[in-house]
Amino acid sequence: MSYERARARMIEEQLVGRGIADPRVLAAMARVERHRFVEEALEARAYDDKPLPIGARQTISQPFMVGLMTEALGLRGTERVLEIGTGCGYQTAVLAELVANVFSVERISTLATAARQLLDRLGYYNVAIRVGDGTLGWSDEAPFDAIVVTAGTPQVPRPLITQLADGGRLVFPIGEEELQTLVRIRKEGSRLHEEYFGDCRFVKLVGRYGWER
Ligand code: SAH
């Protein structure tokens, strides 16, 4: 099967079939060539319904999880979005298709460098990547209309709430090491509204407001 057909099938079966309905999210994930974000030996599995290793003991998230998180951010096109956990840059590329500016923080420099090079090659010029502890956010570029964390944390990283614009959305997995719940926090004035999107399994968010090393 060609990668294009595999991708179309991924959209239908894994996303539409499980309730991802935002047409812009579906179109973005139809455009981004997921197989480019994994090493050559794993290319043929890039459209499978699962996460895959990307080196440094990290993973590229399952396509459904990327769709679910992206949809939950409620993006219209003009937003400034912060991503914590660049990894291979796949979620970053999906966001870059959808909004004006993407800021992404990754703690492992080899992953950040590889993602930067790939995103440049693919022409995603609206992405800024920084190496560091993403639990601290990116204060120089705040506030953000939306923030997505692609690693699991035992606590809400406070700085991310602070760096959220009024009306902004923060989507992240919270819970134990082996199992988390996907949460969306909406900030409205001084109020925070929480919603839950079910169980998920992510690698650890390691940092000051996440897990200890
Ligand atoms: N969205 C990525 C997911 C990668 S896995 C993808 O689809 O490829 C989660 C990533 O979060 C890992 O690369 C890990 O190194 C990174 N990470 C963990 N703790 C972090 C922190 N405090 N700040 C920034 N990145 C972090």
mmCIF file of all heavy atoms in Angstrom, residues 111-136:
data_model
loop_
_atom_site.group_PDB
_atom_site.id
_atom_site.type_symbol
_atom_site.label_atom_id
_atom_site.label_comp_id
_atom_site.label_asym_id
_atom_site.label_seq_id
_atom_site.Cartn_x
_atom_site.Cartn_y
_atom_site.Cartn_z
ATOM 1 N N LEU A 111 16.997 15.306 19.940
ATOM 2 C CA LEU A 111 15.659 15.243 19.343
ATOM 3 C C LEU A 111 15.262 16.609 18.777
ATOM 4 O O LEU A 111 14.733 16.712 17.672
ATOM 5 C CB LEU A 111 14.622 14.780 20.378
ATOM 6 C CG LEU A 111 14.717 13.320 20.843
ATOM 7 C CD1 LEU A 111 13.675 13.039 21.918
ATOM 8 C CD2 LEU A 111 14.552 12.351 19.682
ATOM 9 N N ALA A 112 15.550 17.657 19.546
ATOM 10 C CA ALA A 112 15.207 19.016 19.103
ATOM 11 C C ALA A 112 15.932 19.356 17.801
ATOM 12 O O ALA A 112 15.334 19.918 16.872
ATOM 13 C CB ALA A 112 15.564 20.027 20.190
ATOM 14 N N THR A 113 17.203 18.990 17.707
ATOM 15 C CA THR A 113 17.993 19.295 16.510
ATOM 16 C C THR A 113 17.455 18.541 15.290
ATOM 17 O O THR A 113 17.293 19.121 14.212
ATOM 18 C CB THR A 113 19.481 18.914 16.738
ATOM 19 O OG1 THR A 113 19.927 19.604 17.902
ATOM 20 C CG2 THR A 113 20.339 19.293 15.552
ATOM 21 N N ALA A 114 17.171 17.252 15.493
ATOM 22 C CA ALA A 114 16.652 16.453 14.379
ATOM 23 C C ALA A 114 15.296 16.988 13.922
ATOM 24 O O ALA A 114 15.025 17.089 12.712
ATOM 25 C CB ALA A 114 16.535 14.992 14.797
ATOM 26 N N ALA A 115 14.443 17.364 14.876
ATOM 27 C CA ALA A 115 13.122 17.896 14.533
ATOM 28 C C ALA A 115 13.263 19.220 13.774
ATOM 29 O O ALA A 115 12.593 19.447 12.765
ATOM 30 C CB ALA A 115 12.285 18.089 15.795
ATOM 31 N N ARG A 116 14.156 20.067 14.256
ATOM 32 C CA ARG A 116 14.400 21.360 13.591
ATOM 33 C C ARG A 116 14.787 21.166 12.129
ATOM 34 O O ARG A 116 14.251 21.796 11.219
ATOM 35 C CB ARG A 116 15.514 22.097 14.353
ATOM 36 C CG ARG A 116 16.071 23.342 13.737
ATOM 37 C CD ARG A 116 15.179 24.562 13.961
ATOM 38 N NE ARG A 116 14.071 24.642 13.009
ATOM 39 C CZ ARG A 116 12.992 25.413 13.149
ATOM 40 N NH1 ARG A 116 12.822 26.138 14.222
ATOM 41 N NH2 ARG A 116 12.060 25.449 12.246
ATOM 42 N N GLN A 117 15.748 20.245 11.898
ATOM 43 C CA GLN A 117 16.230 19.998 10.536
ATOM 44 C C GLN A 117 15.119 19.461 9.645
ATOM 45 O O GLN A 117 14.960 19.898 8.503
ATOM 46 C CB GLN A 117 17.408 19.026 10.562
ATOM 47 C CG GLN A 117 18.674 19.698 11.090
ATOM 48 C CD GLN A 117 19.807 18.714 11.369
ATOM 49 O OE1 GLN A 117 19.639 17.505 11.230
ATOM 50 N NE2 GLN A 117 20.946 19.240 11.762
ATOM 51 N N LEU A 118 14.344 18.533 10.173
ATOM 52 C CA LEU A 118 13.262 17.949 9.380
ATOM 53 C C LEU A 118 12.190 18.988 9.057
ATOM 54 O O LEU A 118 11.743 19.111 7.912
ATOM 55 C CB LEU A 118 12.651 16.759 10.133
ATOM 56 C CG LEU A 118 11.487 16.050 9.440
ATOM 57 C CD1 LEU A 118 11.892 15.524 8.060
ATOM 58 C CD2 LEU A 118 10.984 14.898 10.310
ATOM 59 N N LEU A 119 11.792 19.765 10.051
ATOM 60 C CA LEU A 119 10.749 20.772 9.835
ATOM 61 C C LEU A 119 11.213 21.840 8.846
ATOM 62 O O LEU A 119 10.422 22.334 8.041
ATOM 63 C CB LEU A 119 10.312 21.386 11.172
ATOM 64 C CG LEU A 119 9.570 20.402 12.103
ATOM 65 C CD1 LEU A 119 9.422 20.988 13.502
ATOM 66 C CD2 LEU A 119 8.191 20.038 11.541
ATOM 67 N N ASP A 120 12.505 22.169 8.873
ATOM 68 C CA ASP A 120 13.061 23.116 7.890
ATOM 69 C C ASP A 120 12.959 22.526 6.492
ATOM 70 O O ASP A 120 12.543 23.187 5.545
ATOM 71 C CB ASP A 120 14.533 23.423 8.201
ATOM 72 C CG ASP A 120 14.669 24.430 9.337
ATOM 73 O OD1 ASP A 120 13.652 25.060 9.694
ATOM 74 O OD2 ASP A 120 15.787 24.582 9.870
ATOM 75 N N ARG A 121 13.368 21.267 6.383
ATOM 76 C CA ARG A 121 13.332 20.592 5.083
ATOM 77 C C ARG A 121 11.910 20.535 4.527
ATOM 78 O O ARG A 121 11.692 20.642 3.330
ATOM 79 C CB ARG A 121 13.895 19.173 5.219
ATOM 80 C CG ARG A 121 15.107 18.925 4.340
ATOM 81 C CD ARG A 121 15.582 17.480 4.427
ATOM 82 N NE ARG A 121 15.985 17.112 5.767
ATOM 83 C CZ ARG A 121 15.702 15.948 6.342
ATOM 84 N NH1 ARG A 121 15.007 15.025 5.707
ATOM 85 N NH2 ARG A 121 16.117 15.688 7.565
ATOM 86 N N LEU A 122 10.938 20.359 5.412
ATOM 87 C CA LEU A 122 9.552 20.258 4.972
ATOM 88 C C LEU A 122 8.889 21.628 4.789
ATOM 89 O O LEU A 122 7.740 21.725 4.374
ATOM 90 C CB LEU A 122 8.742 19.414 5.972
ATOM 91 C CG LEU A 122 9.202 17.952 6.131
ATOM 92 C CD1 LEU A 122 8.390 17.247 7.216
ATOM 93 C CD2 LEU A 122 9.084 17.192 4.813
ATOM 94 N N GLY A 123 9.629 22.683 5.129
ATOM 95 C CA GLY A 123 9.121 24.039 4.879
ATOM 96 C C GLY A 123 8.230 24.629 5.953
ATOM 97 O O GLY A 123 7.447 25.530 5.675
ATOM 98 N N TYR A 124 8.346 24.130 7.179
ATOM 99 C CA TYR A 124 7.553 24.704 8.276
ATOM 100 C C TYR A 124 8.331 25.847 8.928
ATOM 101 O O TYR A 124 9.070 25.643 9.880
ATOM 102 C CB TYR A 124 7.201 23.629 9.306
ATOM 103 C CG TYR A 124 6.221 22.621 8.755
ATOM 104 C CD1 TYR A 124 6.617 21.332 8.442
ATOM 105 C CD2 TYR A 124 4.894 22.980 8.532
ATOM 106 C CE1 TYR A 124 5.719 20.407 7.924
ATOM 107 C CE2 TYR A 124 3.990 22.072 8.015
ATOM 108 C CZ TYR A 124 4.404 20.787 7.715
ATOM 109 O OH TYR A 124 3.515 19.888 7.192
ATOM 110 N N TYR A 125 8.160 27.039 8.370
ATOM 111 C CA TYR A 125 8.941 28.184 8.831
ATOM 112 C C TYR A 125 8.253 28.953 9.960
ATOM 113 O O TYR A 125 8.801 29.922 10.466
ATOM 114 C CB TYR A 125 9.252 29.109 7.656
ATOM 115 C CG TYR A 125 9.980 28.374 6.544
ATOM 116 C CD1 TYR A 125 9.455 28.319 5.258
ATOM 117 C CD2 TYR A 125 11.188 27.715 6.793
ATOM 118 C CE1 TYR A 125 10.120 27.632 4.245
ATOM 119 C CE2 TYR A 125 11.853 27.026 5.800
ATOM 120 C CZ TYR A 125 11.308 26.987 4.530
ATOM 121 O OH TYR A 125 11.953 26.292 3.545
ATOM 122 N N ASN A 126 7.054 28.556 10.331
ATOM 123 C CA ASN A 126 6.341 29.239 11.415
ATOM 124 C C ASN A 126 6.518 28.519 12.757
ATOM 125 O O ASN A 126 5.691 28.629 13.647
ATOM 126 C CB ASN A 126 4.847 29.369 11.083
ATOM 127 C CG ASN A 126 4.169 28.025 10.818
ATOM 128 O OD1 ASN A 126 4.833 27.031 10.527
ATOM 129 N ND2 ASN A 126 2.857 27.995 10.913
ATOM 130 N N VAL A 127 7.618 27.770 12.871
ATOM 131 C CA VAL A 127 7.888 27.002 14.089
ATOM 132 C C VAL A 127 9.195 27.471 14.745
ATOM 133 O O VAL A 127 10.213 27.581 14.067
ATOM 134 C CB VAL A 127 8.039 25.494 13.761
ATOM 135 C CG1 VAL A 127 8.477 24.717 14.988
ATOM 136 C CG2 VAL A 127 6.749 24.921 13.195
ATOM 137 N N ALA A 128 9.145 27.765 16.032
ATOM 138 C CA ALA A 128 10.361 28.056 16.796
ATOM 139 C C ALA A 128 10.562 26.926 17.798
ATOM 140 O O ALA A 128 9.605 26.507 18.451
ATOM 141 C CB ALA A 128 10.219 29.389 17.517
ATOM 142 N N ILE A 129 11.776 26.403 17.874
ATOM 143 C CA ILE A 129 12.056 25.302 18.804
ATOM 144 C C ILE A 129 13.159 25.727 19.772
ATOM 145 O O ILE A 129 14.125 26.376 19.379
ATOM 146 C CB ILE A 129 12.503 24.027 18.038
ATOM 147 C CG1 ILE A 129 11.372 23.529 17.136
ATOM 148 C CG2 ILE A 129 12.922 22.908 19.013
ATOM 149 C CD1 ILE A 129 11.720 22.311 16.302
ATOM 150 N N ARG A 130 12.989 25.347 21.034
ATOM 151 C CA ARG A 130 13.966 25.682 22.050
ATOM 152 C C ARG A 130 14.260 24.435 22.869
ATOM 153 O O ARG A 130 13.362 23.628 23.134
ATOM 154 C CB ARG A 130 13.385 26.757 22.969
ATOM 155 C CG ARG A 130 14.351 27.471 23.852
ATOM 156 C CD ARG A 130 13.661 28.672 24.485
ATOM 157 N NE ARG A 130 12.629 28.262 25.441
ATOM 158 C CZ ARG A 130 12.884 27.990 26.727
ATOM 159 N NH1 ARG A 130 14.096 28.086 27.209
ATOM 160 N NH2 ARG A 130 11.912 27.638 27.528
ATOM 161 N N VAL A 131 15.511 24.279 23.288
ATOM 162 C CA VAL A 131 15.873 23.164 24.165
ATOM 163 C C VAL A 131 15.783 23.659 25.604
ATOM 164 O O VAL A 131 16.327 24.717 25.934
ATOM 165 C CB VAL A 131 17.313 22.672 23.886
ATOM 166 C CG1 VAL A 131 17.704 21.578 24.872
ATOM 167 C CG2 VAL A 131 17.418 22.150 22.455
ATOM 168 N N GLY A 132 15.073 22.910 26.451
ATOM 169 C CA GLY A 132 14.981 23.317 27.847
ATOM 170 C C GLY A 132 13.877 22.558 28.563
ATOM 171 O O GLY A 132 13.308 21.608 28.023
ATOM 172 N N ASP A 133 13.599 22.998 29.788
ATOM 173 C CA ASP A 133 12.541 22.393 30.591
ATOM 174 C C ASP A 133 11.210 23.077 30.273
ATOM 175 O O ASP A 133 10.944 24.190 30.715
ATOM 176 C CB ASP A 133 12.881 22.541 32.080
ATOM 177 C CG ASP A 133 11.770 21.985 32.971
ATOM 178 O OD1 ASP A 133 10.782 21.417 32.433
ATOM 179 O OD2 ASP A 133 11.891 22.121 34.200
ATOM 180 N N GLY A 134 10.385 22.375 29.514
ATOM 181 C CA GLY A 134 9.110 22.931 29.079
ATOM 182 C C GLY A 134 8.095 23.116 30.187
ATOM 183 O O GLY A 134 7.099 23.818 29.997
ATOM 184 N N THR A 135 8.323 22.506 31.363
ATOM 185 C CA THR A 135 7.366 22.731 32.457
ATOM 186 C C THR A 135 7.416 24.189 32.925
ATOM 187 O O THR A 135 6.514 24.652 33.615
ATOM 188 C CB THR A 135 7.593 21.787 33.671
ATOM 189 O OG1 THR A 135 8.792 22.132 34.347
ATOM 190 C CG2 THR A 135 7.629 20.326 33.250
ATOM 191 N N LEU A 136 8.474 24.901 32.506
ATOM 192 C CA LEU A 136 8.594 26.325 32.833
ATOM 193 C C LEU A 136 7.941 27.190 31.759
ATOM 194 O O LEU A 136 7.886 28.418 31.891
ATOM 195 C CB LEU A 136 10.069 26.708 32.975
ATOM 196 C CG LEU A 136 10.879 25.926 34.015
ATOM 197 C CD1 LEU A 136 12.349 26.254 33.926
ATOM 198 C CD2 LEU A 136 10.349 26.225 35.416
#
